[in-house]
Amino acid sequence: MKDSLQTTLRQLRLSGLALSLDVRLQEAAGNNLTHAEFLELILQDEMTVRDDRQIGRRTKSAGFRDPRNLEDFDFSFNPSIKRKQVYDLATGAFVRQGRDLLVLGPPGVGKSHLAQAIGHAVIRSGMTVLYRSIFDVVREFLHDAAVEGGPGGEKVLARYLKPDLLIIDDMGMKQLPKRSGEYLFEVVMRRYEKRSTMMTSNRPLEDWGKLLGDVPSATAILDRFLHHAQIVTITGKSYRLREQAGRKNSAQADQPEQAEACKDVTK
């Protein structure tokens, strides 16, 4: 490819096309492609590169805690988790329909993994996602209020209202600071019937008033959030406890071998 053509493609911000053009020219000559077929190929190359970059930017912007995906999830360990249901959610249909999603279950059953994996899949479907733990949500509102010297929260609120899907993880890990209920209610209320919200919790809904320290706010939050929400309830054993037990068993299995090796050394 001529340097002048390469420069022109860069100026037009067609870097994906520039990367594949030499190969496509050879392919066109070898397969006698028509001009229209050749043009379709190089434009598709450009679109693929742009889509990949957009996914990368949106994934980084989402703020996921861990790089989770559904392919790494062990559905066989916990039969209460329905593979088809999870993969249906991963299509992002509930987001396009403006519905909400609540995932309930004890600690360690995979709620955070599934939430982040579904979030990744939604991004790949062309939508935007923001992932935060409930502690991050409250901390950001409290920090904004402290900086502004008043109720604050408008800048933070705008960030939470923008994404197609907002994921709030870890609801119920411990009691939240004062005014948490007000902040969460504002987010849920402003997103209600406009954008989708997904939450995970290890506590039953009747405990939310105690966790937030504000029963009226908790009631108002649940009233709106559950109106169009799908509820996924997970039961069963903890993945983390299984992994911990596996490491313990492995360590115990290694001990006899180590002891035998020490005997050989002392002989």
Side-chain angles (χ1 to χ4, degrees):
M1 186 195 312
K2 293 182 179 179
D3 291 341
S4 59
L5 179 55
Q6 186 75 252
T7 301
T8 301
L9 291 174
R10 297 292 182 187
Q11 289 174 340
L12 292 172
R13 298 187 178 183
L14 297 173
S15 56
L17 193 156
L19 287 171
S20 66
L21 186 56
D22 284 333
V23 173
R24 293 305 191 188
L25 285 169
Q26 294 177 20
E27 182 179 353
N31 293 285
N32 296 317
L33 299 181
T34 65
H35 292 111
E37 290 171 336
F38 173 69
L39 182 61
E40 183 178 0
L41 280 176
I42 60 175
L43 290 179
Q44 186 58 55
D45 290 339
E46 178 64 31
M47 290 301 299
T48 298
V49 169
R50 292 190 181 196
D51 288 345
D52 289 344
R53 288 174 179 169
Q54 184 182 67
I55 289 172
R57 288 193 300 269
R58 288 181 172 178
T59 300
K60 182 177 180 180
S61 178
F64 295 114
R65 185 163 54 201
D66 302 300
R68 301 295 190 184
N69 57 68
L70 293 179
E71 290 72 25
D72 295 334
F73 192 80
D74 185 3
F75 287 92
S76 64
F77 179 73
N78 194 339
S80 75
I81 303 174
K82 307 303 181 185
R83 180 190 294 266
K84 183 180 184 305
Q85 182 183 35
V86 172
Y87 273 88
D88 284 346
L89 292 169
T91 65
F94 79 99
V95 180
R96 286 186 286 272
Q97 294 165 4
R99 293 187 288 113
D100 298 319
L101 176 63
L102 175 62
V103 182
L104 296 172
V109 294
K111 299 185 301 298
S112 294
H113 186 139
L114 289 174
Q116 292 177 92
I118 289 171
H120 275 289
V122 168
I123 287 175
R124 291 195 293 272
S125 296
M127 291 173 280
T128 56
V129 174
L130 180 63
Y131 170 88
R132 291 289 188 272
S133 75
I134 184 62
F135 311 109
D136 294 330
V137 175
V138 174
R139 189 182 303 115
E140 289 182 16
F141 273 101
L142 290 173
H143 175 74
D144 196 48
V147 169
E148 293 189 9
E154 288 303 318
K155 292 180 181 177
V156 176
L157 182 60
R159 189 182 315 139
Y160 283 100
L161 297 181
K162 186 177 180 180
D164 298 310
L165 174 63
L166 171 64
I167 302 174
I168 301 178
D169 202 3
D170 298 329
M171 183 68 186
M173 295 296 289
K174 60 183 179 181
Q175 191 166 359
L176 295 164
K178 187 178 179 181
R179 297 198 65 191
S180 298
E182 297 175 35
Y183 295 136
L184 185 57
F185 172 69
E186 188 71 17
V187 171
V188 171
M189 180 186 70
R190 297 281 289 273
R191 291 182 62 86
Y192 175 62
E193 295 188 329
K194 295 182 178 71
R195 297 281 192 277
S196 293
T197 302
M198 176 181 183
M199 286 199 269
T200 73
S201 178
N202 61 15
R203 299 285 288 276
L205 300 179
E206 54 266 27
D207 288 355
W208 282 30
K210 185 185 300 183
L211 292 167
L212 293 169
D214 187 341
V215 174
S217 288
T219 302
I221 288 166
L222 292 173
D223 178 64
R224 286 165 175 77
F225 179 63
L226 296 179
H227 185 201
H228 302 297
Q230 179 176 350
I231 301 177
V232 176
T233 302
I234 302 174
T235 58
K237 301 176 182 179
S238 166
Y239 288 91
R240 286 190 288 269
L241 291 179
R242 180 190 66 170
E243 292 175 355
Q244 184 179 6
R247 288 193 296 268
K248 183 178 180 180
N249 293 336
S250 178
Q252 290 175 345
D254 290 341
Q255 287 177 0
E257 296 180 6
Q258 294 172 356
E260 191 65 33
C262 290
K263 288 180 182 179
D264 291 341
V265 171
T266 56
K267 285 181 181 180

